[in-house]
Amino acid sequence: MTDCSNIEIREWLPEYLNGMPGAARRAEVESHLASCEDCREELAMLRLVREAFAPTPAVDVAAIVSALPKRTRGPVMRSWRQSQVFQVAAAVSFIALGGISLAVARSFFNGEPTVVAVDTLRTATPGSDFMPAISFSGGVSDLEDEDIEALLTALETIEALPVTESSEVLMTGTGRQGS
Amino acid sequence: MAEGLTDPGDPLDSTLIQRWKEGDERAATALVERHAGALARYVSSMGERDAAEEVVQDTFVRAFSSLDTFRGESSLRTWLFTIARRLVVDRRRAMRRRREVGTLDDVDAATEYTALDGLIANEARKKVWGAVGKLSPTQREVFLLRVNEGLSYKEIAEVAGTTEGAARVHYHNALRTVKENLE
Ligand SMILES: [Zn+2]
């Protein structure tokens, strides 16, 4: 086996074997191979080496994936919290205004385009379960995760209450939440 | 087409990384499927066949744990190979401490490859292993990264902590030795 003097082509053989170069380069290598026995022999030898190291030791892709760090922890958790804080703050402040249409809070949760309708005359039903949960001082962002979850659970119960009639469209917004 | 190649229509590694960062678990599966085989072959060719699966898993766990710091200056593939290599070297070091055997350079390649004999009884393969086993550890690593995985000299230099020029010299010396031993 002698070495071909076309160094450039020889340098491309390992990549050619692994399918790496672009179409034009492949065509160039193939055209040279058609007329060069030395390079054909060298390529055959490289292929033999590659095949000698196959089969690859088995790897269990599913097992590897399940061992990977979960993306739902860390940054995603933080953005979840920020998003929830925003939702609660929005819902609570409107309730504090008094007499929010309960459909409003719901539209915030769904992240859909929001039409905020306010019945200025009514207040949220007194004595209902969610009231103690939202009687806190300080900003919503001061709450612990558990408090926010409790608050959200309490707010869920609002949906079970009769929906008040909207009397006035106050504002519109997209209600978009970070994801 | 050779094994492990990406179809031009497949999403790029960088696209899959972004999807995974956005919470798409399937992107992680696609990345593992794309690179696990080549990593296992590399780890195995470094003489760690029995531990290949474990090393490959550790490689992905480490890589995904710090994907936020991966800026993409090198390819994901090169980065994965670099992590795998470090794990293999650490393993060797720990083993050497336990057994008080020689340095990495003293590892007898022939012994490593005889461990493979039971797996494939094929004369041609044995002959190749014998020829590759005659290379120095560095030559062998460079040669196999180039031939088995198609890594460029630049990528090999990054993985093996050497220069492009040195990688080229190692490859050509290795090629000559293997040729002579296979003739
Ligand atoms: Zn030629």
Side-chain angles (χ1 to χ4, degrees):
Chain A
M1 213 187 294
T2 48
D3 290 346
C4 170
S5 58
N6 190 332
I7 297 293
E8 203 195 339
I9 292 290
R10 287 183 65 207
E11 289 287 13
W12 277 106
L13 292 180
E15 266 110 335
Y16 177 81
L17 181 64
N18 283 276
M20 300 303 173
R25 179 73 67 177
R26 289 189 74 81
E28 192 187 331
V29 172
E30 275 159 16
S31 136
H32 177 84
L33 284 170
S35 63
C36 179
E37 195 182 344
D38 289 341
C39 282
R40 282 201 302 274
E41 281 184 5
E42 185 164 313
L43 181 65
M45 191 212 74
L46 296 176
R47 184 171 282 126
L48 186 66
V49 170
R50 198 174 186 277
E51 283 168 2
F53 287 89
T56 303
V59 283
D60 185 342
V61 170
I64 294 173
V65 171
S66 68
L68 296 179
K70 291 289 168 282
R71 200 52 197 172
T72 44
R73 294 197 207 113
V76 171
M77 198 61 189
R78 278 201 299 281
S79 76
W80 173 87
R81 186 186 153 91
Q82 281 158 4
S83 159
Q84 301 300 77
V85 165
F86 167 73
Q87 290 169 359
V88 172
V92 167
S93 62
F94 284 128
I95 287 166
L97 275 175
I100 301 300
S101 162
L102 300 172
V104 173
R106 189 184 178 81
S107 67
F108 266 90
F109 285 112
N110 292 343
E112 291 161 1
T114 305
V115 174
V116 180
V118 178
D119 179 345
T120 52
L121 298 177
R122 304 201 191 183
T123 56
T125 312
S128 63
D129 287 345
F130 74 88
M131 290 303 284
I134 57 171
S135 58
F136 59 90
S137 58
V140 176
S141 55
D142 296 334
L143 294 175
E144 296 298 320
D145 284 351
E146 303 83 70
D147 297 328
I148 290 171
E149 279 179 58
L151 198 46
L152 286 168
T153 310
L155 287 166
E156 283 287 303
T157 66
I158 298 173
E159 294 176 18
L161 299 172
V163 174
T164 57
E165 295 292 324
S166 330
S167 57
E168 184 188 348
V169 173
L170 184 69
M171 60 171 251
T172 60
T174 60
R176 193 175 175 276
Q177 283 140 34
S179 57
Chain B
M1 292 287 271
E3 166 219 349
L5 294 181
T6 53
D7 191 273
D10 288 345
L12 295 171
D13 282 352
S14 54
T15 307
L16 289 169
I17 291 170
Q18 192 53 41
R19 283 189 201 161
W20 180 76
K21 283 181 178 175
E22 289 162 5
D24 184 355
E25 291 284 322
R26 289 167 308 172
T29 304
L31 285 168
V32 172
E33 273 173 354
R34 184 175 290 176
H35 296 290
L39 286 168
R41 191 164 47 225
Y42 170 61
V43 170
S44 171
S45 74
M46 298 267 287
E48 297 288 337
R49 189 179 180 96
D50 291 344
E53 187 160 15
E54 191 188 330
V55 172
V56 171
Q57 176 163 321
D58 286 353
T59 301
F60 279 107
V61 169
R62 289 197 186 204
F64 275 77
S65 301
S66 50
L67 259 188
D68 285 327
T69 63
F70 176 65
R71 294 274 171 264
E73 281 116 7
S74 58
S75 68
L76 177 70
R77 182 169 74 142
T78 308
W79 193 49
L80 290 170
F81 273 103
T82 308
I83 296 171
R85 184 183 199 274
R86 206 161 50 222
L87 289 171
V88 168
V89 170
D90 288 350
R91 249 186 118 79
R92 286 273 179 88
R93 227 171 251 151
M95 222 183 287
R96 203 159 61 232
R97 238 176 272 126
R98 278 199 301 274
R99 293 183 193 169
E100 296 192 358
V101 294
T103 66
L104 187 61
D105 288 345
D106 294 336
V107 174
D108 182 357
T111 315
E112 289 169 29
Y113 291 102
T114 49
L116 302 175
D117 282 0
L119 297 167
I120 314 151
N122 178 314
E123 284 308 310
R125 277 179 177 156
K126 279 188 190 174
K127 212 174 164 196
V128 172
W129 293 333
V132 172
K134 288 196 165 62
L135 303 174
S136 76
T138 310
Q139 281 179 343
R140 189 164 68 235
E141 184 182 10
V142 169
F143 184 68
L144 293 180
L145 279 173
R146 184 119 180 89
V147 177
N148 290 354
E149 317 305 339
L151 262 62
S152 67
Y153 294 126
K154 186 171 181 287
E155 289 175 311
I156 293 170
E158 259 179 70
V159 172
T162 180
T163 64
E164 280 185 64
R168 188 188 302 268
V169 170
H170 283 310
Y171 172 76
H172 284 284
N173 287 342
L175 183 62
R176 194 180 315 117
T177 303
V178 173
K179 264 187 181 180
E180 282 166 9
N181 281 283
L182 285 179
E183 270 169 346

